[in-house]
Amino acid sequence: MRRLLAGLTVGTFLFATAACGSSGGSGSSKSTSSGGTTTVKVGVIPIVDVAPLYLGQKEGFFSKHGLKLSMTLAQGGAAIVPGVVSGQFQFGFSNMTSLMLAESQNVPVKAIANGVASTGVSGKDFGALVVKKGSSLKSAKELEGKKVAVNTLKNINETAVRASVRKAGGDPDKVKFVELAFDQMPAALDKGQIDAAMAVEPALTTMLDQGAQQIAWPMVDVAKDLTVAMYFTSQAYAAKNPDTVKKFQEATAESLAYADAHPDEVRQIVATYTKVPSSVLAKVILPKWPADPNRSSIEALKQLSVTDGLFKTAPDLDKLLP
């Protein structure tokens, strides 16, 4: 199991516990109860995608269900998976590729609630492949031999970029993928340390404000209305704490619906757990937060990952998905 978890982290098991807006935590790996309220630790990423959880906590959706969230920021879903499996977190947020990779390696994870989805619209998605202002690169095909940043290797962003390169007629195996946190991508692109970046909001708008140009929308290229990420727990925690899992599912569903209906509040809450200025947040393209995952889009993502040789054994979506 240690070898499996080590492979999943891809060197990114680094947590930004001091990030602004984090609820903090005592360091205990167990959920705690006080006065009828259970505190659960959740591993998240400092991006727009997880705004519903912060909004749900603020609006009282979780407290109504007897839960209090203690959130810790991580670089990506690949780093959060081992934290959940080890019991450091009770719940986590992860992209679908990292979750499928975990399931394919028999890492005991279980997706329990929808997370975030692509808008499905090229030119208007919350994630895009960008190059520096004035770059000669005009299409994903031209990324052969170039350095392309993704937040963690072997995750949904790498798979999606590969899909865009392939769609444009290029060879994705010739792309040099490098691992870089989203908030470090703008400076790296501006300084020419990378040739392109697969960025999601709010890093995407930060780059566009620097003059970066969008050349592809990889999430859209994977599948229509792609389910990008979900909230998950460990199989052991789900078996021992079904009531808590149900409460988390119900409160998260309310939070997703609220976020989808209140875009201005989403922008405001993102400022509490990232250092992105309000002037940038006012322009970010928000993702979709549907109530349920899009199974067909996840199947498409799975097939692309199989094509890329990511899985030695294809994941069992019936075991992984709720």
Side-chain angles (χ1 to χ4, degrees):
M1 179 60 72
R2 279 196 293 270
R3 286 199 303 272
L4 294 177
L5 296 180
L8 280 167
T9 64
V10 201
T12 60
F13 200 22
L14 303 173
F15 296 99
T17 55
C20 177
S22 174
S23 301
S26 64
S28 169
S29 64
K30 298 180 179 179
S31 57
T32 57
S33 298
S34 177
T37 298
T38 300
T39 298
V40 293
K41 294 184 178 182
V42 188
V44 294
I45 311 170
I47 52 179
V48 170
D49 307 32
V50 298
L53 249 60
Y54 286 88
L55 268 181
Q57 179 117 298
K58 178 185 176 184
E59 295 299 317
F61 300 143
F62 286 92
S63 60
K64 182 179 72 174
H65 290 280
L67 296 180
K68 179 180 179 181
L69 306 183
S70 175
M71 289 179 274
T72 298
L73 300 178
Q75 184 167 320
I80 295 173
V81 169
V84 170
V85 174
S86 68
Q88 182 178 359
F89 308 126
Q90 283 73 57
F91 301 101
F93 176 87
S94 178
N95 69 87
M96 293 311 304
T97 299
S98 292
L99 288 177
M100 288 192 288
L101 179 58
E103 204 290 320
S104 73
Q105 296 178 335
N106 294 315
V107 177
V109 294
K110 179 68 177 179
I112 57 170
N114 203 24
V116 68
S118 162
T119 66
V121 181
S122 294
K124 296 182 180 180
D125 200 23
F126 76 107
L129 195 52
V130 298
V131 295
K132 186 178 180 179
K133 180 181 179 181
S135 172
S136 62
L137 302 173
K138 303 300 180 184
S139 76
K141 179 181 180 180
E142 297 172 42
L143 294 178
E144 293 180 355
K146 305 299 183 182
K147 288 184 179 180
V148 179
V150 291
N151 66 315
T152 59
L153 298 174
K154 300 185 184 302
N155 75 348
I156 193 170
N157 289 313
E158 179 177 333
T159 300
V161 170
R162 284 175 170 274
S164 290
V165 171
R166 191 179 289 115
K167 181 179 179 180
D171 182 353
D173 289 337
K174 294 181 179 180
V175 176
K176 300 176 182 178
F177 288 99
V178 296
E179 187 171 282
L180 198 63
F182 287 122
D183 61 2
Q184 295 174 14
M185 290 181 184
L189 187 66
D190 193 49
K191 294 176 182 177
Q193 296 169 342
I194 54 176
D195 299 298
M198 176 56 203
V200 300
E201 297 288 12
L204 175 57
T205 292
T206 298
M207 292 185 187
L208 296 178
D209 277 0
Q210 293 176 347
Q213 301 168 321
Q214 302 179 69
I215 61 171
W217 294 269
M219 301 297 184
V220 180
D221 288 340
V222 170
K224 180 177 175 57
D225 303 324
L226 173 67
T227 293
V228 175
M230 293 183 68
Y231 294 97
F232 71 103
T233 189
S234 67
Q235 293 177 6
Y237 187 83
K240 294 178 181 178
N241 303 275
D243 290 342
T244 302
V245 170
K246 183 179 180 181
K247 290 175 181 178
F248 183 86
Q249 290 173 316
E250 293 172 347
T252 298
E254 291 182 48
S255 301
L256 293 174
Y258 188 87
D260 227 23
H262 297 83
D264 290 340
E265 291 184 43
V266 167
R267 300 176 197 279
Q268 292 170 12
I269 203 74
V270 173
T272 68
Y273 62 93
T274 71
K275 297 179 180 179
V276 180
S278 57
S279 59
V280 172
L281 291 173
K283 295 182 283 187
V284 301
I285 296 174
L286 299 180
K288 297 295 184 183
W289 287 289
D292 301 307
N294 180 342
R295 174 71 180 247
S296 63
S297 75
I298 299 173
E299 292 277 5
L301 182 64
K302 170 185 170 181
Q303 287 307 122
L304 283 173
S305 300
V306 170
T307 299
D308 289 332
L310 185 60
F311 309 132
K312 291 184 178 179
T313 302
D316 185 341
L317 296 185
D318 289 333
K319 287 176 61 177
L320 175 64
L321 300 177

